[in-house]
Amino acid sequence: MTSSPIAPFTELTTRLGRELMTALVTEDDADALAQQVAGIAEQLSRAAAAPHTVSVGDPHTTPNHIAGDITPASSPRNPIAPPMSIVPDGDDYRCDLTLPLQYQGPPGRVHGGIVALLIDHILGHAANWGAEKRSFTRSLTLNYDAGTPIGEPLTVRGRIARVEGRKRFMEAEIICDDVVRVRAEGLWLSPREA
Amino acid sequence: MTSSPIAPFTELTTRLGRELMTALVTEDDADALAQQVAGIAEQLSRAAAAPHTVSVGDPHTTPNHIAGDITPASSPRNPIAPPMSIVPDGDDYRCDLTLPLQYQGPPGRVHGGIVALLIDHILGHAANWGAEKRSFTRSLTLNYDAGTPIGEPLTVRGRIARVEGRKRFMEAEIICDDVVRVRAEGLWLSPREA
């Protein structure tokens, strides 16, 4: 086997890993689960034996940032990551996505910590995109005004509200069915000059 | 194949899923990754063919809550879940854990959203353990005083600070190497009587 670009094989493996997670949290029947796992394992084995032939068309994937990006919020090589694809939208950054069952907290609702993951990540993106110096989360306040549904289309929006020196004051919302479910405010800070 | 208790097979599959995630975010070499994936896939296939023979000793697993618990913060059947095992400790609830690379945000540090997931989950546990009515996160404020390291032992602590009617005011910290890295305050609320 010769060395090859990592992206397509990794993307396929990641996607199968995500399917594996969905199977694990969905099936109550051990036999049905075993059959799904066997199918996924067979695909993984075949791909591992012939990684160069794998072709993947996952639309939210940007091959040239895969090698370095392993974030659990959006990386195409990390099966934890919800399918976050962040795009500019006016002065905001925006992400449309639907979350499967492995992100559930209370029945039918996205786990509050996963909600925080989506918000923290889009705000980190909004604070840092095109910035000269990277800034990091200093504080984050989340208001859970209503439940955020599993399995329904969500829109996550975030923006810089204002800048004061090293401080970036951030705002974000999660919207479902035209209703704001979560509002957030955060402070992002770049490190002091040495 | 006859029907069987789901727990041991699911636990093994989950653990292999977690190993798969670590392999995906660790290896830069496609050939080495393919070999690891092939090994994991082979174990999955074998386990799927003979689930009744699988025996698992994962210490943080409590078999009798597996079937219903699919939370992405602590479930033994969800490979997203960090290995959170929450125990009472005086008036607090406490969890000791070390996070591998798939939870990284900035280099060497836990992603801010994963930090929020740990905090939200321990506070949900502290608010609800032994409570008559379940309460849910209404608001949560996180202060990131210092970085939370990947690959080092962390302690997550949370407690009820005070109760007012339907409101539970909560507090939590994440500590590493005797230094508080994250402080959080939250309000948990139980639904109004119908």
Side-chain angles (χ1 to χ4, degrees):
Chain A
M1 209 184 295
T2 59
S3 196
S4 68
I6 194 175
F9 174 52
T10 306
E11 284 172 44
L12 177 70
T13 310
T14 305
R15 205 166 62 195
L16 291 171
R18 219 179 270 129
E19 285 171 21
L20 178 60
M21 289 201 276
T22 304
L24 277 164
V25 299
T26 305
E27 284 295 339
D28 279 334
D29 177 336
D31 289 354
L33 176 61
Q35 281 172 28
Q36 286 187 58
V37 169
I40 290 166
E42 198 198 317
Q43 287 183 65
L44 281 171
S45 296
R46 262 192 283 126
H52 309 168
T53 68
V54 174
S55 165
V56 179
D58 197 345
H60 89 273
T61 298
T62 312
N64 58 8
H65 76 260
I66 287 185
D69 174 11
I70 60 169
T71 164
S74 65
S75 168
R77 72 186 273 190
N78 190 338
I80 291 176
M84 286 191 91
S85 174
I86 301 174
V87 295
D89 183 6
D91 289 337
D92 289 9
Y93 285 88
R94 173 191 176 126
C95 166
D96 296 305
L97 81 171
T98 299
L99 292 179
L101 202 56
Q102 62 262 39
Y103 301 102
Q104 179 175 272
R109 297 182 177 189
V110 179
H111 191 289
I114 298 295
V115 163
L117 177 66
L118 300 176
I119 297 262
D120 181 75
H121 203 68
I122 203 163
L123 288 183
H125 186 92
N128 285 306
W129 195 257
E132 275 179 42
K133 280 191 65 175
R134 183 160 182 189
S135 56
F136 300 92
T137 321
R138 183 62 185 83
S139 66
L140 180 61
T141 295
L142 301 138
N143 291 287
Y144 297 83
D145 291 349
T148 300
I150 284 285
E152 295 184 27
L154 308 176
T155 298
V156 187
R157 306 188 72 104
R159 71 200 66 86
I160 301 177
R162 66 182 200 281
V163 178
E164 291 177 12
R166 295 187 300 125
K167 297 178 182 173
R168 287 165 188 264
F169 294 90
M170 311 298 298
E171 292 173 349
E173 302 91 37
I174 295 180
I175 297 150
C176 178
D177 207 12
D178 291 330
V179 176
V180 173
R181 310 300 174 118
V182 182
R183 289 173 297 117
E185 293 185 356
L187 170 60
W188 260 247
L189 208 58
S190 56
R192 278 202 181 78
E193 303 290 342
Chain B
M1 209 184 293
T2 58
S3 196
S4 68
I6 194 175
F9 175 51
T10 306
E11 285 172 43
L12 178 70
T13 311
T14 306
R15 206 166 60 193
L16 290 171
R18 218 178 272 130
E19 285 171 19
L20 178 60
M21 290 201 275
T22 304
L24 277 164
V25 300
T26 306
E27 283 296 337
D28 280 332
D29 176 337
D31 289 354
L33 176 59
Q35 281 172 28
Q36 286 187 56
V37 170
I40 290 167
E42 198 199 316
Q43 287 184 64
L44 281 170
S45 296
R46 262 191 282 128
H52 308 170
T53 67
V54 173
S55 164
V56 178
D58 198 344
H60 88 274
T61 299
T62 313
N64 57 8
H65 76 263
I66 287 184
D69 174 11
I70 60 169
T71 165
S74 65
S75 169
R77 73 186 272 192
N78 190 337
I80 290 177
M84 285 191 91
S85 175
I86 300 174
V87 294
D89 182 7
D91 290 337
D92 290 9
Y93 285 88
R94 172 191 178 127
C95 166
D96 297 303
L97 81 171
T98 299
L99 292 178
L101 203 56
Q102 62 261 41
Y103 301 103
Q104 178 175 273
R109 295 182 180 190
V110 179
H111 191 290
I114 298 294
V115 163
L117 176 66
L118 301 176
I119 297 262
D120 181 74
H121 202 68
I122 204 163
L123 288 184
H125 185 93
N128 285 305
W129 196 256
E132 275 179 42
K133 281 191 63 174
R134 183 161 181 187
S135 55
F136 300 92
T137 321
R138 183 63 187 80
S139 66
L140 180 62
T141 296
L142 300 138
N143 292 287
Y144 296 83
D145 292 349
T148 301
I150 285 283
E152 295 184 28
L154 308 176
T155 298
V156 187
R157 305 188 73 102
R159 70 202 65 86
I160 301 177
R162 66 182 199 280
V163 179
E164 291 177 12
R166 296 187 300 123
K167 297 179 182 173
R168 288 166 188 264
F169 294 90
M170 312 298 296
E171 292 173 347
E173 302 92 35
I174 296 180
I175 297 152
C176 178
D177 206 14
D178 291 330
V179 176
V180 174
R181 310 301 175 116
V182 182
R183 287 172 299 117
E185 291 185 358
L187 171 60
W188 260 245
L189 209 58
S190 57
R192 277 202 181 78
E193 302 292 342

